[in-house]
Amino acid sequence: KDNLMSITNTPTSNDACLSIVHSLMCHRQGGESETFAKRAIESLVKKLKEKKDELDSLITAITTNGAHPSKCVTIQRTLDGRLQVAGRKGFPHVIYARLWRWPDLHKNELKHVKYCQFAFDLKCDSVCVNPYHYERVVSPGIDLSGLTLTSSAPSGLMVKDETEYEGQSLLPNMDGHSIQTIQHPPSSRTAPPEPFSTPSLLPPSDASSSASSSTFPSIAVAPDYWCSIAYFEMDVQVGETFKVPSSCPIVTVDGYVDPSGGDRFCLGQLSNVHRTEAIERARLHIGKGVQLECKGEGDVWVRCLSDHAVFVQSYYLDREAGRAPGDAVHKIYPSAYIKVFDLRQCHRQMQQQAATAQAAAAAQAAAVAGNIPGPGSVGGIAPAISLSAAAGIGVDDLRRLCILRMSFVKGWGPDYPRQSIKETPCWIEIHLHRALQLLDEVLHTMPIADPQPLD
């Protein structure tokens, strides 16, 4: 009976814009603020007021969750293809698909259904924004295990076979950058994937690691502090660096004003004379912030406790996503729990880079001395980068492997107006002490000279 009521209460194109908007607002997925959603829906309904059949198609599609086939719902294509709503620009089909179907959708993840005649990619003068005329395809850079597709989706929706899209996400976008925001929604498994009492040395996670795992020094001296956290607003460090004792494997970084200490770093009480209104606003959204957890000998996991996503720079996640180190920004959604650092992998990478740098420096010195070595002779390591670049690997590059950076609320990169993390309003840099200790050991056995400036 209730169901019947809701059907008879569904407006038609003859109703007032206000009641149509109100009805469509009830079906939004909650990824956007109410104001933004309302503006986006109002603007669409007004544009369709003269095209009654399309407006009816939209109402039917949204109110029945796509249960019945519906026609294209079109708006005029703009010059750059993007639509401005409430001061933000985005592709129209993506805006409405996020609004009504997938709040965490990335702009490269939509593919239109065969019967859609005005799909965005067909480049017609009109663009179809019917969210049920598109399917979500997940780019290979995303962990599929944590992805839950909306249960209301029609059976036609599936995560397509990845091979068809292999490498698609690696294409540079329009700005020429290949850096991309990789989404990490909360996993459907609420329990942590492994018990907390991890043995101090995990067995190698993959075949490639077993070869070098024997060279991993067993823990001799655990550092007194497992990490230190510096807080920044834009490019200015605010407050003292916060050190986390090894006796507190879990530390919370939040936006509250309590005194910091032990396992809690409160950013709310830090003052900064250069703080702008925009930074002030962003800080209000840090809320419960994040939890960092040191597992085993030095692996690090992050849990997002805030109501807003956090954005992370992590070489481990880059590698897991098949990207070059430093090539992606990782958006970690509220309540997601995810591994961001692997000590073993970091140690292997240090050793490889130090060995490459050392061999390249030797080869370069030999070349300068006139003994030009053959191309295959860079210390037995096939150089993936040019000789001069390899010889140019300095201690700072290796230190970077031991550091995580994380921005609250605001992302950066080509999907955002901010190009680097130093342009975001509130972010932290986390130095991992066990990894830095291992780096010292690596540099003792393989000292590398810092790159000399060219005369």
Side-chain angles (χ1 to χ4, degrees):
K1 182 170 181 258
D2 283 349
N3 203 17
L4 197 77
M5 267 297 281
S6 71
I7 290 172
T8 53
N9 277 348
T10 302
T12 70
S13 56
N14 296 319
D15 285 297
C17 281
L18 207 62
S19 55
I20 298 174
V21 170
H22 178 77
S23 170
L24 296 177
M25 278 289 281
C26 299
H27 293 268
R28 65 195 181 96
Q29 294 295 312
E32 301 286 2
S33 72
E34 189 166 355
T35 332
F36 180 87
K38 197 163 182 197
R39 293 274 284 280
I41 296 173
E42 274 170 355
S43 124
L44 180 56
V45 170
K46 281 181 184 151
K47 286 175 187 157
L48 297 173
K49 220 29 193 158
E50 301 308 306
K51 303 191 278 190
K52 290 197 183 305
D53 56 334
E54 293 192 20
L55 183 48
D56 279 324
S57 264
L58 175 72
I59 296 169
T60 307
I62 302 305
T63 54
T64 65
N65 293 334
H68 305 294
S70 49
K71 293 203 280 264
C72 284
V73 175
T74 62
I75 59 173
Q76 191 65 36
R77 181 185 289 270
T78 57
L79 276 174
D80 71 348
R82 295 187 303 168
L83 177 70
Q84 182 149 349
V85 176
R88 283 167 45 191
K89 277 191 139 185
F91 295 120
H93 63 313
V94 177
I95 291 178
Y96 294 107
R98 270 187 197 145
L99 207 63
W100 283 308
R101 292 190 74 182
W102 306 285
D104 60 349
L105 180 74
H106 188 273
K107 63 174 187 255
N108 300 342
E109 291 176 358
L110 284 183
K111 180 174 188 275
H112 60 89
V113 295
K114 287 195 178 68
Y115 50 84
C116 181
Q117 296 170 319
F118 296 98
F120 183 80
D121 292 337
L122 299 177
K123 308 232 180 329
C124 311
D125 290 341
S126 299
V127 178
C128 176
V129 293
N130 181 340
Y132 291 94
H133 276 202
Y134 294 89
E135 294 175 339
R136 183 176 191 175
V137 289
V138 180
S139 68
I142 295 171
D143 169 23
L144 294 177
S145 65
L147 197 76
T148 45
L149 295 169
T150 35
S151 52
S152 60
S155 54
L157 173 80
M158 51 253 174
V159 176
K160 284 293 203 307
D161 180 32
E162 272 185 50
T163 50
E164 195 182 331
Y165 296 94
E166 190 111 86
Q168 181 182 312
S169 67
L170 304 181
L171 295 174
N173 62 10
M174 291 182 297
D175 312 329
H177 290 273
S178 67
I179 191 170
Q180 179 190 312
T181 315
I182 293 176
Q183 322 266 332
H184 298 273
S187 166
S188 45
R189 304 184 302 269
T190 44
E194 52 185 51
F196 176 60
S197 56
T198 326
S200 73
L201 272 181
L202 294 167
S205 53
D206 55 51
S208 65
S209 66
S210 54
S212 48
S213 60
S214 53
T215 58
F216 190 81
S218 63
I219 190 155
V221 185
D224 295 340
Y225 299 95
W226 71 266
C227 75
S228 50
I229 306 171
Y231 168 65
F232 293 82
E233 291 176 0
M234 311 292 273
D235 56 355
V236 177
Q237 183 175 349
V238 177
E240 299 286 307
T241 298
F242 182 80
K243 290 185 164 177
V244 185
S246 292
S247 56
C248 301
I250 298 182
V251 61
T252 306
V253 183
D254 60 37
Y256 299 119
V257 293
D258 303 322
S260 297
D263 62 354
R264 189 165 169 218
F265 185 18
C266 296
L267 307 177
Q269 36 102 13
L270 300 175
S271 56
N272 171 11
V273 288
H274 304 291
R275 186 171 292 153
T276 61
E277 208 177 314
I279 295 175
E280 199 64 83
R281 274 200 310 273
R283 277 169 54 85
L284 294 175
H285 293 296
I286 296 173
K288 293 180 181 166
V290 293
Q291 225 173 39
L292 305 169
E293 181 175 348
C294 180
K295 286 191 172 195
E297 197 178 318
D299 293 351
V300 181
W301 291 67
V302 166
R303 181 177 263 115
C304 178
L305 304 174
S306 170
D307 293 338
H308 294 265
V310 293
F311 296 82
V312 177
Q313 188 179 50
S314 149
Y315 289 172
Y316 168 76
L317 286 177
D318 292 346
R319 213 173 158 136
E320 291 293 289
R323 307 300 296 263
D327 198 24
V329 178
H330 300 269
K331 182 176 184 179
I332 298 183
Y333 282 85
S335 79
Y337 176 69
I338 189 163
K339 184 175 182 176
V340 292
F341 180 80
D342 183 288
L343 188 65
R344 246 176 215 287
Q345 187 207 70
C346 175
H347 184 242
R348 276 204 303 280
Q349 228 168 335
M350 279 174 201
Q351 288 176 314
Q352 283 163 6
Q353 286 196 13
T356 305
Q358 214 182 22
Q364 232 183 12
V368 170
N371 316 326
I372 310 290
S377 65
V378 185
I381 296 174
I385 42 181
S386 72
L387 206 59
S388 56
I393 294 174
V395 177
D396 277 353
D397 297 290
L398 293 174
R399 281 179 66 83
R400 222 164 279 148
L401 299 173
C402 311
I403 294 171
L404 294 167
R405 288 173 156 187
M406 189 178 300
S407 165
F408 295 97
V409 190
K410 301 288 183 186
W412 75 94
D415 296 334
Y416 297 90
R418 297 157 293 275
Q419 283 311 296
S420 95
I421 196 168
K422 291 184 176 177
E423 293 168 38
T424 63
C426 34
W427 59 280
I428 53 177
E429 184 169 270
I430 303 145
H431 289 241
L432 302 169
H433 294 190
R434 180 64 185 128
L436 288 162
Q437 240 182 11
L438 290 178
L439 176 58
D440 276 349
E441 294 179 27
V442 169
L443 292 174
H444 275 301
T445 54
M446 282 186 276
I448 61 173
D450 261 324
Q452 297 304 311
L454 297 166
D455 300 332

